[in-house]
Amino acid sequence: MRFKLWLRRLSISAPRVTIKSHFPWPLKMLFMVCTIALGGAAALWIYDLGRQFTGHDQSPSQDVAAYREQLAKLSAQRDRFSSTVNASESQLMIERSAQKQLAAQVKLLEGENVRLKEDLAFFESLLPKDTGGPEVSIRRLTVDMVGPNQLRYRLLLMQGARGSNDFIGTLQLAVTTLQAGRSAVILFPTANSSDTPQFKLGFRHYQRIEGLLTLPDGTSAKSVQARIFEKGQMRTQASANL
């Protein structure tokens, strides 16, 4: 009998055996929860470790503060560069303005130089070609009133011969005036005048002379006579009416 039972167990028709777990399902659920928790903790630990290695272990608020600080530094640097650029532009404008002024002055001086050369060529063409003794002449005399008792005079003196000696002399102006119905002649410079140096002459070919004469109050000028003296002797004279 026992042998038959044993053979039945070994045969194909043996009954199925079901293996049941000895762990109840609450324990299984607890195990699964613990496993998931440990996995999440491990993942967070690995994430934090990675942030520490890469330098991103700061909190979002700290990151925002760091970005704001960097932005403030960049803004300050931009302001400095902007100030430098503005200062450079101002300096460049000043230099350009100075260059324009210098260019205008150079152009003016060039024009004046051309006019002086033309005047010199003209005056030299007027000089006689003879080699005789030096003769002085008054080429031009102009006078005009610039105030109630202010008279302006202009003269152009020339030496006739192209000698090697300079002409040394003096200028005297005789102003014919009318005051209270009476005519009178006033000489410049007067004996005690402090303007004597401006009436001294010294030139080789030509000399321009101009100045102001102050007349007594209530005096009107009618004419002016210019006289050139050399060693006390009058060499030439010219007159001009007002």
Side-chain angles (χ1 to χ4, degrees):
M1 190 65 181
R2 291 181 179 179
F3 181 72
K4 290 180 179 180
L5 293 174
W6 183 70
L7 288 175
R8 181 179 289 179
R9 291 178 181 177
L10 295 177
S11 65
I12 298 175
S13 60
R16 295 181 179 179
V17 179
T18 300
I19 300 175
K20 295 182 179 180
S21 176
H22 294 285
F23 296 95
W25 65 269
L27 293 177
K28 290 181 180 181
M29 291 297 294
L30 181 61
F31 178 75
M32 291 176 64
V33 171
C34 292
T35 302
I36 293 172
L38 289 174
L44 290 175
W45 178 74
I46 293 173
Y47 176 74
D48 292 337
L49 185 62
R51 285 178 61 87
Q52 291 178 1
F53 278 115
T54 57
H56 295 83
D57 57 340
Q58 297 179 350
S59 63
S61 60
Q62 293 177 342
D63 291 340
V64 171
Y67 291 151
R68 288 180 177 176
E69 183 178 358
Q70 187 176 5
L71 179 61
K73 291 181 180 179
L74 293 175
S75 298
Q77 189 175 9
R78 180 206 60 192
D79 294 339
R80 289 196 299 270
F81 289 157
S82 178
S83 299
T84 303
V85 170
N86 293 334
S88 300
E89 290 180 353
S90 300
Q91 184 66 24
L92 183 60
M93 292 179 63
I94 293 173
E95 291 178 356
R96 288 178 178 176
S97 178
Q99 289 178 358
K100 290 181 179 179
Q101 293 179 0
L102 289 176
Q105 292 179 359
V106 169
K107 187 176 180 179
L108 181 63
L109 291 175
E110 288 177 351
E112 184 68 21
N113 189 27
V114 171
R115 287 193 295 271
L116 289 175
K117 287 182 178 180
E118 292 176 353
D119 290 346
L120 180 60
F122 172 73
F123 292 143
E124 287 181 347
S125 67
L126 296 177
L127 294 175
K129 307 298 183 181
D130 63 317
T131 57
E135 294 181 358
V136 176
S137 62
I138 301 174
R139 291 288 182 173
R140 185 171 65 246
L141 171 62
T142 59
V143 291
D144 57 289
M145 299 297 297
V146 295
N149 60 337
Q150 291 287 323
L151 181 115
R152 182 187 297 275
Y153 63 92
R154 295 183 179 90
L155 294 93
L156 175 61
L157 306 179
M158 299 187 69
Q159 186 171 212
R162 295 184 177 180
S164 58
N165 298 324
D166 293 344
F167 176 81
I168 305 298
T170 58
L171 168 67
Q172 185 186 72
L173 297 175
V175 182
T176 301
T177 64
L178 185 63
Q179 185 178 19
R182 300 179 60 181
S183 178
V185 176
I186 303 176
L187 298 179
F188 295 91
T190 60
N192 299 324
S193 175
S194 60
D195 298 333
T196 303
Q198 77 180 61
F199 291 94
K200 292 183 178 180
L201 305 177
F203 60 94
R204 176 69 55 89
H205 300 299
Y206 69 94
Q207 182 176 354
R208 289 174 175 173
I209 304 172
E210 65 176 279
L212 290 175
L213 300 178
T214 302
L215 303 177
D217 294 337
T219 301
S220 59
K222 295 300 181 178
S223 63
V224 177
Q225 185 182 62
R227 303 168 183 173
I228 305 301
F229 290 87
E230 181 184 18
K231 297 179 180 178
Q233 297 181 358
M234 187 174 65
R235 298 299 183 185
T236 187
Q237 62 181 358
S239 299
N241 297 323
L242 281 87

